Amino acid sequence: MDENILILGDSVDHLVTLDMKWPGRPRGIVDTIYQACREYVGGPVCLHAADSLLKRVAKETTVIISTGFVLRPFFPLGETDGPPGAVALAHSIIRGIGARVIFLAEKEVMDVLKAACIAAGLSVYEREDFGTIPGAILIRDFPYEVDEAVREGERILKAWNPSAVITVEKMGRNPKDIYHTARGSDMGSQVAKVDYLVEAAQKRGILTIGIGDLGNEIGLGAVGDVVRKAIGPAVERCKCGCGGGIVTKIGADFPIMATMSNWGSYGVAACLAGILEKPAIFHSPEIEGRVIEACVRAGARDGATVSPSLSSDGVSLEGNRAVVQLLHEIIRIKTTKIVHYRA
């Protein structure tokens, strides 16, 4: 890769892994787990994931993106970390590559995703129209029961032959096949079992990217040993009695650790824009604001404050918009051709 692009990748990763976790979490876990992901993929993680998307995803092929975190009574319609990141990725993939996107989520999250897409200027279509319209988006729910999830995953992979499967803030099961919250509670009955589709995609050689911010998310199982050590027994120990801990066993070709899953997604989207030298395919701070507001109006809540506030994981709307603006600045600076004059 061009040296400026590699520097762009390092800058993007640095920004989206700022240690801004709320008090109570072990210090330094974001960087520790990020470094393991970086070693796993061989360099800047967001950049390598974006580069693989460009190499593996062609125009008018299908990309599957899954998100959604439902936990009643706290997050009955999901949270604001996940859907904005998933939509940002779709924005860059559709406008930069020309692929179609299928969103898979819990049925409770579907209206949040639709509202976020509309706020980002992306068109959602019904099943019968999706395959005929370039750059279309289809939103589908996915089964909660394992047997149904296995069958549906195989059906989707056979029907759409996706070129990539991406998960954003999506829980994966641990070695005991239990799905855990960050606090160690069993949440399996409320999780769409997308991790079975991810495993089936991996067996078919389909590109997989998993984005998370703790270690119970799909993808981070690729560096599970480091995650368990980093978060420590006080966090890793589960409360359900299974003895398997909260860390998922489900890996991905490109595991991405970020301060919040949205930011990891923004990092990949920004790197797509940087490699292509098309800043406009990366969503703007204004769109960021509209998307978060749309998610909250549709029922999503902040994952840190458990409130319907205009924020994500405790970071304000202004803070999230600022991160998007800084990513645009990184793209601009690293892709601008500067002529140096000698006096």
Side-chain angles (χ1 to χ4, degrees), residues 47-74:
L47 180 67
H48 281 338
D51 185 57
S52 289
L53 283 170
L54 288 171
K55 290 175 179 175
R56 302 278 293 275
V57 178
K59 185 178 181 180
E60 297 192 14
T61 61
T62 298
V63 172
I64 291 174
I65 303 178
S66 181
T67 192
F69 182 90
V70 174
L71 182 65
R72 291 179 290 273
F74 309 106

Side-chain angles (χ1 to χ4, degrees), residues 17-321:
T17 54
L18 289 174
D19 197 346
M20 293 177 62
K21 291 291 186 184
W22 276 48
R25 296 288 177 86
R27 291 185 63 185
I29 66 168
V30 175
D31 185 63
T32 299
I33 299 170
Y34 161 76
Q35 293 296 337
C37 293
R38 183 185 178 98
E39 183 176 349
Y40 186 86
V41 307
V45 295
C46 292
L47 180 67
H48 281 338
D51 185 57
S52 289
L53 283 170
L54 288 171
K55 290 175 179 175
R56 302 278 293 275
V57 178
K59 185 178 181 180
E60 297 192 14
T61 61
T62 298
V63 172
I64 291 174
I65 303 178
S66 181
T67 192
F69 182 90
V70 174
L71 182 65
R72 291 179 290 273
F74 309 106
F75 308 104
L77 301 177
E79 59 172 325
T80 53
D81 186 23
V87 169
L89 275 171
H91 189 280
S92 291
I93 289 169
I94 288 170
R95 300 195 175 188
I97 302 175
R100 299 180 179 89
V101 171
I102 297 177
F103 283 119
L104 298 178
E106 288 78 8
K107 61 180 181 294
E108 294 91 340
V109 180
M110 292 175 66
D111 285 345
V112 171
L113 274 170
K114 184 175 182 179
C117 286
I118 292 170
L122 300 175
S123 299
V124 178
Y125 293 90
E126 297 299 325
R127 166 66 179 83
E128 57 269 21
D129 300 315
F130 171 74
T132 63
I133 299 174
I137 288 177
L138 177 67
I139 303 175
R140 301 291 299 271
D141 64 337
F142 198 78
Y144 300 86
E145 297 298 325
V146 171
D147 290 344
E148 292 181 28
V150 171
R151 288 194 296 270
E152 180 66 1
E154 292 290 348
R155 188 196 69 77
I156 288 173
L157 294 178
K158 182 177 180 180
W160 294 108
N161 189 29
S163 50
V165 175
I166 306 170
T167 57
V168 183
E169 186 71 1
K170 201 84 198 85
M171 300 304 104
R173 65 195 191 279
N174 76 354
K176 302 287 187 178
D177 293 334
I178 306 297
Y179 302 78
H180 289 91
T181 68
R183 297 182 181 274
S185 300
D186 181 354
M187 62 177 298
S189 64
Q190 302 178 68
V191 175
K193 305 302 187 294
V194 174
D195 51 345
Y196 286 94
L197 180 146
V198 171
E199 289 182 312
Q202 290 171 332
K203 291 177 182 177
R204 292 173 181 242
I206 297 169
L207 173 66
T208 57
I209 299 170
I211 303 171
D213 56 26
L214 179 62
N216 51 348
E217 303 94 350
I218 294 170
L220 295 179
V223 292
D225 289 343
V226 174
V227 175
R228 278 184 283 273
K229 185 179 293 185
I231 65 178
V235 177
E236 206 274 331
R237 188 181 300 115
C238 63
K239 296 178 181 178
C240 72
C242 77
I246 73 169
V247 178
T248 183
K249 68 178 180 181
I250 310 300
D253 297 326
F254 293 90
I256 297 176
M257 177 69 174
T259 302
M260 72 175 77
S261 296
N262 281 348
W263 290 9
S265 304
Y266 300 166
V268 177
C271 285
L272 275 173
I275 295 170
L276 292 172
E277 297 187 4
K278 295 180 178 180
I281 72 171
F282 180 49
H283 75 295
S284 66
E286 291 72 26
I287 290 176
E288 171 75 359
R290 293 203 302 266
V291 167
I292 291 178
E293 182 173 0
C295 288
V296 173
R297 288 184 179 277
R301 297 175 183 174
D302 184 297
T305 65
V306 198
S307 64
S309 58
L310 296 180
S311 55
S312 298
D313 272 10
V315 178
S316 68
L317 183 66
E318 292 78 11
N320 284 290
R321 290 181 58 176

